């Protein structure tokens, strides 16, 4: 019983609650700005990458599933959402490998994730309208870095 209580308290730590709030802010911003501008800035992906530097596997799995539900509440399969859910686990494994500061690694992984997403799912954007990619990538890197710094403060 004591072990269960310790795990439960750890699951609901300040960092985990902050990560949930960051994900909600990112998903809400992504959906609202997507409706307003007509293209989607990947704030939820940036939030997941940023919190992957601070959370454990089970907490990250919960947040990845929550992000998929927030971005698409209909029960439909999407390769893009699978990518969004899978990238934080890659970051979780690779977060210690880069030789520079962790906040720079966070920005690098956000940019790399968005570049990979565009290369896989929308390669025509690179050729026809690179401004959309640059706006998406730079906005997400800024959001991810702010989310990282917020998680570090907590």
């Amino acid at each position: 019983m004591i072990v269960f209580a310790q795990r439960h308290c750890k699951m609901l730590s300040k960092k985990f609650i902050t990560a949930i709030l960051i994900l909600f802010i990112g998903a809400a911003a992504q959906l609202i700005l997507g409706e307003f501008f007509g293209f989607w800035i990947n704030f939820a992906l940036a939030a997941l990458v940023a919190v992957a530097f601070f959370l454990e596997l089970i907490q990250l799995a919960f947040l990845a599933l929550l992000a998929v539900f927030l971005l698409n509440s209909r029960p439909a399969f999407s390769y893009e959402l699978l990518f969004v859910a899978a990238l934080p686990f890659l970051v979780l494994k690779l977060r210690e490998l880069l030789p520079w500061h962790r906040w720079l690694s966070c920005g690098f992984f956000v940019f790399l994730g968005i570049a990979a997403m565009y290369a896989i799912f929308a390669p025509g954007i690179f050729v026809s309208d690179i401004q959309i990619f640059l706006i998406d990538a730079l906005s997400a890197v800024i959001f991810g870095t702010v989310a990282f710094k917020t998680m570090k403060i907590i």
Side-chain angles (χ1 to χ4, degrees), residues 74-87:
R74 294 168 297 166
F77 180 76
S78 169
Y79 287 110
E80 291 88 357
L81 288 177
L82 181 65
F83 182 85
V84 167
L87 182 66

Side-chain angles (χ1 to χ4, degrees), residues 6-24:
Q6 288 173 344
R7 284 186 189 169
H8 183 65
C9 289
K10 193 172 188 178
M11 182 72 172
L12 294 176
S13 66
K14 284 185 194 179
K15 285 209 183 283
F16 185 62
I17 300 298
T18 305
I20 291 172
L21 292 174
I22 288 171
L23 178 62
F24 273 116

Side-chain angles (χ1 to χ4, degrees), residues 42-111:
N42 290 295
F43 291 130
L45 178 68
L48 285 172
V49 168
V51 300
F53 282 88
F54 299 95
L55 299 181
E56 295 178 10
L57 181 66
I58 191 76
Q59 295 171 328
L60 190 60
F62 176 79
L63 280 181
L65 291 174
L66 181 62
V68 168
F69 177 74
L70 290 173
L71 295 176
N72 184 16
S73 60
R74 294 168 297 166
F77 180 76
S78 169
Y79 287 110
E80 291 88 357
L81 288 177
L82 181 65
F83 182 85
V84 167
L87 182 66
F89 295 104
L90 180 66
V91 172
L92 182 69
K93 292 296 178 191
L94 299 177
R95 64 186 176 188
E96 301 297 329
L97 294 180
L98 296 179
W100 50 73
H101 295 284
R102 293 178 82 189
W103 67 271
L104 286 173
S105 298
C106 176
F108 174 75
F109 280 125
V110 169
F111 184 82

